[in-house]
Amino acid sequence: MPLYEFRCENSHLHELLLSMAAADRSAPCPECGGAATRLISSPALGHLGSARAQLIDRTESSAHAPTVVDQVPGSGAPRPARTTHDPRHARLPRP
């Protein structure tokens, strides 16, 4: 739900959470009761959590300066083969 800013004739500012369908162009001022008109403002991008902001920054920077890797991610040293000491497994076919 978006947060809308309103300013009344007496320059009181207040904010309202309204659905986009119910967002009117005016609302009563909670301080003086006068008619307040909705302001045009930028989205509150500064309220993002630090993890979200870092993700957005990484995504934007990768568009024009992608990182270069020298190996496939997750491909490191091969895992050692798992061995079992169960005698029943000795009769199984080996790969």
Side-chain angles (χ1 to χ4, degrees):
M1 207 179 310
L3 181 68
Y4 293 102
E5 290 181 307
F6 290 88
R7 177 180 287 150
C8 72
E9 297 166 352
N10 297 327
S11 298
H12 297 129
L13 291 172
H14 68 280
E15 298 174 337
L16 289 175
L17 280 172
L18 298 171
S19 67
M20 292 178 81
D24 294 327
R25 298 256 181 230
S26 64
C29 178
E31 292 185 32
C32 65
T37 57
R38 191 173 79 193
L39 300 175
I40 298 175
S41 60
S42 62
L45 296 177
H47 297 290
L48 294 175
S50 62
R52 289 181 184 166
Q54 289 173 1
L55 176 63
I56 290 171
D57 290 341
R58 281 195 310 263
T59 303
E60 289 176 353
S61 68
S62 69
H64 56 82
T67 57
V68 178
V69 296
D70 57 353
Q71 63 180 352
V72 177
S75 67
R79 294 183 188 169
R82 294 189 305 174
T83 58
T84 178
H85 299 291
D86 190 342
R88 294 172 294 173
H89 294 165
R91 293 181 290 194
L92 293 174
R94 301 286 176 192

